[in-house]
Amino acid sequence: SEELCGGTHVSCTGNIGLFKILSESAISAGVRRIEAVTGFGTLNQLRQKQETLDRLSHVLDVPESNLKSRLENLVKDYNKIEKRNRELEAKLLSFQLDNLESYKIGDVFLRCAKFENVEPSVLRNLSDTAIANKKRTVLMLFSTIQNKVTVIIRLTRDLPESLHAGSLAKLVSRVLGGGGGGRHDFAQAGGSRPSKIPETIKEVSLEIRKILEA
């Protein structure tokens, strides 16, 4: 059934006057709640909206009729700037890849880099650049954001099958106090112990040596 009851009954809908729905939501299975204002409450709501429109029109220096197109253009410009900023950030971060910490374990190289406040998605993109044209390499990129650390692990395809990025990610996650896993050549791990990054690199080095000598 469809009912609308606010507890106060009127003799006809004309007594209600203006009626403005503010929100609509589910409160239980098959039951939805509509919140609305009526009468002078509606007038106050409309007045507040008009004041907001007037303020926006003044700040953006456009008539109210052009507000929609002006705001749409601002959002487009903002998105373009954000995209450009991400591209520039990626280029700046890529320069740090020229100074990867490198450890030679037998005929395998463990290459590592540590970043601050780099999102996992950016870190994954950086790993593509860092692993390109590398031979017999295990790559580990760390990013610390507040008290959380993310690690991307990449392996070149010329390494022995016994070396597995997903297995290394599980080892890393145990040291960092988190979780992780992945494919043979790509994995991700994380945890809440950024101070354990040096120990993580040491443990991975020992694990690689153990696997190579088996």
Side-chain angles (χ1 to χ4, degrees):
S1 66
E2 295 181 2
E3 300 175 2
L4 181 63
C5 180
T8 301
H9 299 273
V10 294
S11 58
C12 64
T13 55
N15 296 143
I16 298 174
L18 293 173
F19 184 91
K20 171 67 175 174
I21 294 176
L22 300 179
S23 66
E24 183 263 349
S25 60
I27 57 174
S28 62
V31 180
R32 303 193 70 80
R33 170 182 288 152
I34 293 176
E35 295 184 357
V37 289
T38 62
F40 288 114
T42 306
L43 289 175
N44 289 333
Q45 183 78 9
L46 293 174
R47 184 171 62 251
Q48 291 172 9
K49 286 184 177 294
Q50 187 59 52
E51 289 174 354
T52 300
L53 289 173
D54 291 342
R55 180 60 179 165
L56 284 172
S57 181
H58 174 73
V59 170
L60 298 177
D61 194 26
V62 294
E64 185 179 321
S65 58
N66 293 340
L67 272 177
K68 181 176 180 291
S69 60
R70 176 65 170 147
L71 288 171
E72 288 174 345
N73 288 333
L74 284 174
V75 170
K76 289 179 181 178
D77 291 342
Y78 174 81
N79 289 336
K80 288 179 182 178
I81 292 171
E82 280 289 289
K83 181 180 179 182
R84 181 58 177 163
N85 284 342
R86 288 193 297 270
E87 291 172 349
L88 290 173
E89 180 188 25
K91 287 182 179 179
L92 288 172
L93 291 172
S94 67
F95 290 135
Q96 297 184 41
L97 297 177
D98 295 333
N99 298 309
L100 288 170
E101 297 177 19
S102 186
Y103 308 89
K104 196 168 189 298
I105 308 165
D107 62 347
V108 172
F109 291 94
L110 173 61
R111 305 179 194 274
C112 308
K114 289 167 275 190
F115 301 92
E116 297 288 335
N117 299 314
V118 175
E119 294 294 333
S121 59
V122 177
L123 203 63
R124 287 191 289 270
N125 291 336
L126 279 174
S127 74
D128 291 335
T129 302
I131 202 73
N133 302 318
K134 295 293 190 299
K135 302 293 184 182
R136 301 191 69 76
T137 292
V138 175
L139 174 72
M140 296 176 64
L141 300 184
F142 298 83
S143 175
T144 301
I145 301 178
Q146 294 181 347
N147 293 322
K148 301 292 183 181
V149 57
T150 299
V151 190
I152 299 297
I153 302 172
R154 300 286 297 269
L155 273 63
T156 53
R157 296 182 181 276
D158 55 355
L159 292 174
E161 288 291 325
S162 53
L163 281 172
H164 192 286
S167 298
L168 293 177
K170 291 178 181 178
L171 169 63
V172 167
S173 65
R174 286 197 296 271
V175 179
L176 295 177
R183 306 190 308 264
H184 179 268
D185 61 342
F186 179 96
Q188 181 172 327
S192 56
R193 302 171 186 164
S195 62
K196 296 286 187 178
I197 289 177
E199 182 180 336
T200 299
I201 295 173
K202 180 180 178 181
E203 289 295 325
V204 170
S205 299
L206 292 173
E207 182 67 14
I208 292 172
R209 186 175 300 279
K210 176 182 175 182
I211 292 172
L212 293 177
E213 292 177 351

